[in-house]
Amino acid sequence: MVHSFSKHGVGGIILIVILMTLMSLNSSTIFLKKCSVTQIQQSTSSQVQQSTSELPVADGNIESSGKEQSQLEQSTSELPVAVVHVGPHKTGSTTLQQFLVSKENILRTDNYQMFWSGKRKRTSFLAHCFVDKEEPEWYGCSEEVTRQSPLTREHVLAIFRAVLDGALDNGQNIIMSSEEFDRLSFDVAAFRSYLVPGFRVHIVISYRRFYDFIISFYNQLLSHRIIHGDRFQSISFEEWVVNSDNDVIEQVSQMHTYGVYKRFAEYEDFNISILNLHNSSNDQSTLENFFCNHVDNAVNTCEHAKSIGNTMNENGSTDLFFKIFFDSIPDHLPVKPRELIPHWEAIKSKFEGMEEHPLLCPSDETKQRLLELSIQFEKKMTPESWYNSDDGIKTLVEDFENKMNTTKFCVADTKKILETNEWQELKSSIIPVREG
């Protein structure tokens, strides 16, 4: 459930299907452990309850620290903590990483040190030091460090070791974030060998509902126009999930939060918590939720996150409704993609001036499957008390139904649009006259 993908236009990726049951806690911050662990340590007010499933279920709320914030329980161990946010992709990691880079001085007051401070992407290069070189979109682990004198993988890992050793010598905690830790081939065991036994490792994984996750993933694939011969590489969501050589929904489900969890949960000495991006019960921003509920003893950083809310810049979403319509015109008219480009503005103006667009939406079968998986992952990744609340599955179903028949999941019916009378004049002007 990480990084890899089937038919992307640039190359296919084979994903491994691994099924496993999860456990949940009755609080907005949940801790998960490997299945062989029968109890999860929490505050004295927490209760541990054994589930009938294969994995234990721990119920309990995180105790307030007395500083008007919900802090994670401090371990009895004297070891410093390494907080590692591992994405996954498409869950708003950019905002968190921008905060980490710009607020290092505040993090230091909470005794946290970043790995390779200064640029948020440097941790991504570190992550790729533990990723299989054969994995698509692997970009190495040292290119950005210094262009004048590129470092080798060995040098990067030596720097990583030196940073960790320095933190241990000074009794400092480490914090890092990169969605590249979610990659399918990421070698968790090798990465762990640098952190354990020196640090208590706390893995934080963001949770986004599956139907939102998969449409965001699809949009990213279409965000860059790719021309193959005389065709644009743009297809509808339904075509993408139905006409691929592989089961796209199954593959993308393995890149979701649950798949990332399964790989890291193999190690009993990892504490794992889920950052629920949909939990609005406390009116917390994502930054506040992360630093107040998922970063051990980050009192000052938590207070600062409260003060700024969600004011950091995020990666903006792209409206692909018109783009997909434009790219599909050569499927219905005798015109090549490159011949359409000069008419972009005229076609866009005509399209946006329409009062109503006929739509092609996902089939009932596709919608049912997406809904079932979304509910399944909601139950696996959030505590029972939350997914049974008004904010949980009830809201999930309502939001799903509202989005499924809109332009978020549907595309314009290009054939019907081009057949209407209002498009005949423009249609004639964009079809080139060919000799012979």
Side-chain angles (χ1 to χ4, degrees), residues 154-166:
E154 289 70 25
H155 287 144
V156 173
L157 293 178
I159 293 172
F160 184 40
R161 168 54 65 198
V163 170
L164 296 177
D165 288 345

Side-chain angles (χ1 to χ4, degrees), residues 366-376 396-397 400:
T366 297
K367 289 189 285 189
Q368 183 62 31
R369 190 176 177 199
L370 286 177
L371 180 59
E372 289 175 355
L373 275 175
S374 297
I375 293 174
Q376 175 186 340
L396 180 155
V397 173
F400 178 87

Side-chain angles (χ1 to χ4, degrees), residues 67-288:
K67 297 180 181 291
E68 298 182 346
Q69 66 177 346
S70 180
Q71 289 287 355
L72 304 179
E73 181 189 7
Q74 187 170 9
S75 170
T76 56
S77 171
E78 296 299 323
L79 296 178
V81 64
V83 177
V84 186
H85 175 250
V86 297
H89 280 74
K90 314 312 299 175
T91 57
S93 300
T94 299
T95 297
L96 173 58
Q97 292 158 10
Q98 288 177 335
F99 183 95
L100 288 172
V101 169
S102 63
K103 308 299 179 183
E104 286 185 70
N105 58 326
I106 299 175
L107 284 164
R108 290 191 192 100
T109 67
D110 287 322
N111 201 32
Y112 275 93
Q113 175 182 342
M114 280 186 61
F115 168 70
W116 246 339
S117 63
K119 292 186 178 180
R120 66 182 180 87
K121 285 298 182 184
R122 284 179 171 170
T123 304
S124 297
F125 286 102
L126 170 67
H128 274 248
C129 290
F130 299 94
V131 171
D132 191 332
K133 294 180 180 180
E134 300 304 316
E135 180 163 339
E137 298 183 18
W138 181 83
Y139 49 72
C141 66
S142 62
E143 283 87 332
E144 193 181 293
V145 178
T146 163
R147 294 179 182 177
Q148 291 75 23
S149 179
L151 300 180
T152 65
R153 178 179 184 273
E154 289 70 25
H155 287 144
V156 173
L157 293 178
I159 293 172
F160 184 40
R161 168 54 65 198
V163 170
L164 296 177
D165 288 345
L168 288 174
D169 290 342
N170 297 318
Q172 290 180 304
N173 303 314
I174 291 288
I175 188 168
M176 61 184 80
S177 169
S178 175
E179 58 271 40
E180 297 301 324
F181 288 121
D182 75 355
R183 294 255 179 179
L184 185 63
S185 67
F186 181 78
D187 191 339
V188 181
F191 179 69
R192 173 185 171 276
S193 69
Y194 282 79
L195 300 173
V196 176
F199 293 87
R200 292 178 289 121
V201 182
H202 179 182
I203 305 295
V204 183
I205 312 175
S206 297
Y207 166 69
R208 185 180 186 184
R209 284 172 174 150
F210 181 65
Y211 59 91
D212 278 337
F213 178 83
I214 193 172
I215 196 64
S216 180
F217 193 90
Y218 159 78
N219 287 342
Q220 180 173 315
L221 296 182
L222 297 185
S223 61
H224 302 288
R225 178 178 285 101
I226 302 173
I227 299 178
H228 291 274
D230 290 333
R231 293 184 56 82
F232 282 124
Q233 181 75 19
S234 281
I235 58 176
S236 70
F237 178 79
E238 177 71 9
E239 291 174 315
W240 179 57
V241 300
V242 171
N243 296 336
S244 174
D245 291 343
N246 300 299
D247 186 343
V248 168
I249 293 179
E250 175 63 27
Q251 292 174 340
V252 176
S253 74
Q254 297 168 59
M255 306 172 199
H256 191 245
T257 306
Y258 186 34
V260 180
Y261 161 77
K262 289 187 290 186
R263 289 198 320 283
F264 283 90
E266 292 182 14
Y267 301 90
E268 297 179 5
D269 45 18
F270 283 177
N271 282 327
I272 304 179
S273 64
I274 304 301
L275 177 63
N276 183 357
L277 301 181
H278 305 283
N279 184 14
S280 59
S281 59
N282 297 323
D283 294 323
Q284 289 183 322
S285 67
T286 299
L287 287 174
E288 181 182 345

Side-chain angles (χ1 to χ4, degrees), residues 29 72 83 202 204 273-275 289-296:
T29 303
L72 304 179
V83 177
H202 179 182
V204 183
S273 64
I274 304 301
L275 177 63
N289 189 359
F290 177 76
F291 287 103
C292 298
N293 299 327
H294 295 267
V295 180
D296 309 55

